[in-house]
Amino acid sequence: MRFDITPYIDMSPAEVRQRIRKGEITFPTAGMCRGYAQANLVILPPEYAADFEEYTRRNPFPCPVLEIIRGTPETHAMGEGGDITTDIPEYFIYRNGVLSEKVNDASAFWKEGYVGFLIGCSFSFEEALMAAGIEVRHIATGRNVPMYKTGIRTVKVGPFEGPMVCSMRPMTPENARRAYEITVQCPNVHGAPVHMGDPAILGVRDIDQPEYGESVEIREGEIPVFWPCGVTPQAAIENAKPPIVITHSPGHMFITDIKNAELNDFLEARKRR
Amino acid sequence: MRFDITPYIDMSPAEVRQRIRKGEITFPTAGMCRGYAQANLVILPPEYAADFEEYTRRNPFPCPVLEIIRGTPETHAMGEGGDITTDIPEYFIYRNGVLSEKVNDASAFWKEGYVGFLIGCSFSFEEALMAAGIEVRHIATGRNVPMYKTGIRTVKVGPFEGPMVCSMRPMTPENARRAYEITVQCPNVHGAPVHMGDPAILGVRDIDQPEYGESVEIREGEIPVFWPCGVTPQAAIENAKPPIVITHSPGHMFITDIKNAELNDFLEARKRR
């Protein structure tokens, strides 16, 4: 599938969130609102929230928390006036660990005591890669990023455990080293690559069969480069099997009011408070 | 060269520091004082210290600072009563970026206003790897760890810049994934591997010719796994060419009073203060 994101490239996050809320946008958000950070979403019932919060703390690279939403589904730090139950183009509803529904509006599922987690996303560093002249293939070809369950396990907390999911971008070894230099400076938005090169070393069986997203072409002279991915918590949730979980559909993100270039410093400053 | 470190495996750090001070130990410290963290050393004249401190802050994975020593050469947080100018088995003295002397006692070189930096070292996670049943080849064979200048550049601050130096340990892909799981949990002592597999991707030309330390055998079915290395600042100093710098000789470290298992939490707690 290809989507025309052109009208949304330079639109404000508040405006795009409104259009998503109205049902105008139901496809992946990659490339929209150039410059602004996008976020993964997990909403859990109260009895699972504390363990999940600790799980994100123990696995900060795949699960960098941007904002925790309690009380009402409204966002504040990441976008005043946003709503995590309506401002994402597609939601997955899991029941007992099994995907049961895909919806474009999740407001009917929010209940008292539910806790929402907005989690950083690799889109946040792709802008910096492109600014450095590194082609990001899936954006250039209008596809969703390929994501793989790897042989690396996350740290278990309560019922939450599972593989680290990694997103993959093909590039030359030279660009891979530059990409390391750029992304290692953003530890709060996934940080440096987990692996550069042979997918088998990472425990990825078939590079053409990603577990999430869509496969992309790896050209002659290029290697796959893997980063920790914010879909990791979804894999942990599949294992934890809570009675109900609401998440974004992979690639369909919450667009925040914080610029990518400012996100790492924003989170670093908040840590020190 | 092989060294018999057996008598020092279970000795206390304070006792081993005393024996180094007396000149009894003049060889690499790998494997000594089992359980205790070891540190790299850089001592700079006052006009270079501020830029270097910022350089370590911008490059935290290769340069995790454990303690900054000002006034007298005595250590406190990392070992009450230690002395960074006498308690390391071998020192390098650089003049204008060129190695000019190797000495076993550097106390004659310390001057008013000099600033010392104790920097974390990969020995700190090797204990955890071995506890997980992963053989650390250079320890098993009584050698110094091989270290390579890579094609990844560190973030430049003032006159300090240069390649990231990585230490290398050969292991199976399965163990490499376990090693990732273990070391990613210690972001304050070098963190996760930079790379697993083909050295050429990292910009390492000849795996048998490390720039520092000694080469080790890579067996059939094993891959090289590379971590950020505390020798990185020495490479930056070679570029900055201060009139004088005192460092440890690679592999010859300052042994601290803090246990490896506690070091990451110790540094995390200090960050939050």
Side-chain angles (χ1 to χ4, degrees):
Chain A
M1 282 184 293
R2 285 152 198 266
F3 313 103
D4 184 16
I5 61 138
T6 316
Y8 312 109
I9 291 176
D10 285 316
M11 210 174 266
S12 77
E15 173 69 22
V16 172
R17 289 198 303 262
Q18 276 300 328
R19 293 190 183 218
I20 293 170
R21 199 179 291 191
K22 286 182 198 148
E24 182 184 314
I25 299 168
T26 57
F27 42 86
T29 51
M32 293 182 192
C33 303
R34 184 160 49 192
Y36 289 92
Q38 302 199 11
N40 300 283
L41 173 73
V42 172
I43 300 174
L44 285 164
E47 63 275 24
Y48 284 83
D51 277 342
F52 186 74
E53 189 174 341
E54 180 63 15
Y55 177 78
T56 63
R57 209 168 274 147
R58 296 294 305 273
N59 298 284
F61 293 109
C63 313
V65 171
L66 306 183
E67 183 173 354
I68 299 179
I69 296 102
R70 307 177 202 269
T72 69
E74 281 159 26
T75 55
H76 302 284
M78 286 299 127
E80 203 55 62
D83 185 320
I84 52 171
T85 64
T86 57
D87 296 355
I88 283 177
E90 187 175 80
Y91 295 87
F92 281 3
I93 314 292
Y94 290 87
R95 294 181 191 277
N96 303 308
V98 179
L99 178 64
S100 72
E101 289 134 279
K102 294 186 191 185
V103 297
N104 301 114
D105 182 330
S107 53
F109 296 87
W110 179 270
K111 286 190 184 153
E112 199 179 324
Y114 277 30
V115 181
F117 298 82
L118 285 175
I119 294 171
C121 144
S122 51
F123 295 171
S124 287
F125 61 74
E126 288 171 344
E127 184 191 65
L129 295 181
M130 290 186 287
I134 299 172
E135 184 198 318
V136 177
R137 179 83 21 90
H138 68 97
I139 293 181
T141 58
R143 285 182 159 71
N144 195 355
V145 68
M147 295 164 270
Y148 304 84
K149 289 185 180 176
T150 70
I152 292 176
R153 294 167 304 208
T154 56
V155 180
K156 175 177 162 54
V157 178
F160 296 100
E161 65 181 317
M164 178 165 359
V165 177
C166 286
S167 59
M168 188 280 285
R169 291 155 197 81
M171 55 188 74
T172 63
E174 166 75 19
N175 278 348
R177 296 193 290 271
R178 297 295 87 81
Y180 180 98
E181 292 167 8
I182 293 164
T183 56
V184 74
Q185 293 183 61
C186 303
N188 297 304
V189 281
H190 295 308
V194 172
H195 182 56
M196 314 185 280
D198 184 3
I201 290 174
L202 199 58
V204 170
R205 280 176 212 132
D206 186 347
I207 198 73
D208 295 322
Q209 301 283 335
E211 273 85 6
Y212 309 92
E214 297 172 89
S215 68
V216 299
E217 182 198 0
I218 302 176
R219 297 193 186 136
E220 183 75 26
E222 290 183 335
I223 53 168
V225 182
F226 298 88
W227 273 269
C229 177
V231 170
T232 303
Q234 292 195 199
I237 285 162
E238 286 172 32
N239 289 325
K241 299 184 178 42
I244 185 165
V245 186
I246 305 159
T247 73
H248 70 289
S249 159
H252 303 66
M253 319 298 286
F254 182 89
I255 305 177
T256 78
D257 285 350
I258 312 291
K259 293 213 164 174
N260 285 317
E262 291 155 14
L263 187 60
N264 194 72
D265 289 345
F266 179 90
L267 297 169
E268 201 60 30
R270 196 179 58 182
K271 265 191 193 172
R272 295 183 193 284
R273 275 206 303 269
Chain B
M1 283 186 293
R2 284 149 199 268
F3 313 103
D4 183 16
I5 59 138
T6 317
Y8 312 110
I9 291 175
D10 285 317
M11 209 173 268
S12 78
E15 173 67 22
V16 171
R17 290 198 303 262
Q18 276 299 328
R19 294 194 182 216
I20 293 170
R21 197 178 293 191
K22 286 183 198 151
E24 181 184 314
I25 300 169
T26 57
F27 44 84
T29 51
M32 295 183 192
C33 303
R34 184 159 50 191
Y36 288 91
Q38 302 198 9
N40 300 282
L41 172 73
V42 172
I43 300 175
L44 285 164
E47 63 275 24
Y48 283 83
D51 277 343
F52 185 75
E53 188 172 343
E54 181 62 16
Y55 178 79
T56 63
R57 209 169 273 146
R58 296 295 303 274
N59 298 285
F61 292 109
C63 314
V65 170
L66 307 183
E67 182 175 355
I68 299 179
I69 296 102
R70 304 177 204 267
T72 70
E74 280 160 27
T75 57
H76 301 285
M78 285 300 128
E80 203 56 62
D83 185 321
I84 53 170
T85 63
T86 57
D87 297 354
I88 283 178
E90 187 175 80
Y91 295 88
F92 281 4
I93 314 292
Y94 290 88
R95 294 182 191 277
N96 304 307
V98 179
L99 178 63
S100 70
E101 288 133 280
K102 295 186 190 184
V103 297
N104 301 115
D105 182 331
S107 53
F109 296 88
W110 179 269
K111 287 192 184 151
E112 199 179 323
Y114 277 30
V115 180
F117 299 81
L118 285 175
I119 295 171
C121 144
S122 50
F123 295 172
S124 287
F125 60 72
E126 288 171 344
E127 183 191 67
L129 295 181
M130 291 186 286
I134 298 172
E135 184 198 317
V136 177
R137 181 82 23 89
H138 68 98
I139 294 181
T141 57
R143 285 181 159 72
N144 194 356
V145 68
M147 294 165 270
Y148 304 85
K149 289 184 180 177
T150 70
I152 292 175
R153 293 167 305 208
T154 55
V155 179
K156 175 175 162 51
V157 178
F160 296 100
E161 65 180 317
M164 177 162 7
V165 176
C166 285
S167 59
M168 188 280 284
R169 290 155 197 81
M171 53 188 74
T172 64
E174 166 75 18
N175 279 348
R177 297 193 289 272
R178 297 296 87 80
Y180 180 97
E181 293 167 7
I182 292 164
T183 57
V184 74
Q185 292 183 61
C186 301
N188 297 304
V189 281
H190 295 308
V194 172
H195 182 57
M196 313 183 280
D198 184 1
I201 291 173
L202 199 57
V204 170
R205 281 177 209 129
D206 186 349
I207 198 74
D208 295 322
Q209 301 284 334
E211 274 83 7
Y212 309 92
E214 297 172 89
S215 69
V216 299
E217 182 197 3
I218 302 175
R219 297 191 187 137
E220 182 75 27
E222 290 183 336
I223 54 168
V225 183
F226 298 88
W227 273 269
C229 176
V231 170
T232 303
Q234 293 196 198
I237 285 162
E238 287 172 33
N239 290 326
K241 301 185 178 38
I244 186 164
V245 186
I246 305 159
T247 74
H248 70 288
S249 158
H252 303 66
M253 319 299 285
F254 182 88
I255 306 177
T256 78
D257 285 350
I258 312 290
K259 294 212 165 176
N260 285 316
E262 291 155 14
L263 187 61
N264 195 72
D265 289 345
F266 179 89
L267 297 168
E268 201 61 29
R270 198 180 57 182
K271 265 192 194 172
R272 294 181 193 283
R273 275 206 302 270

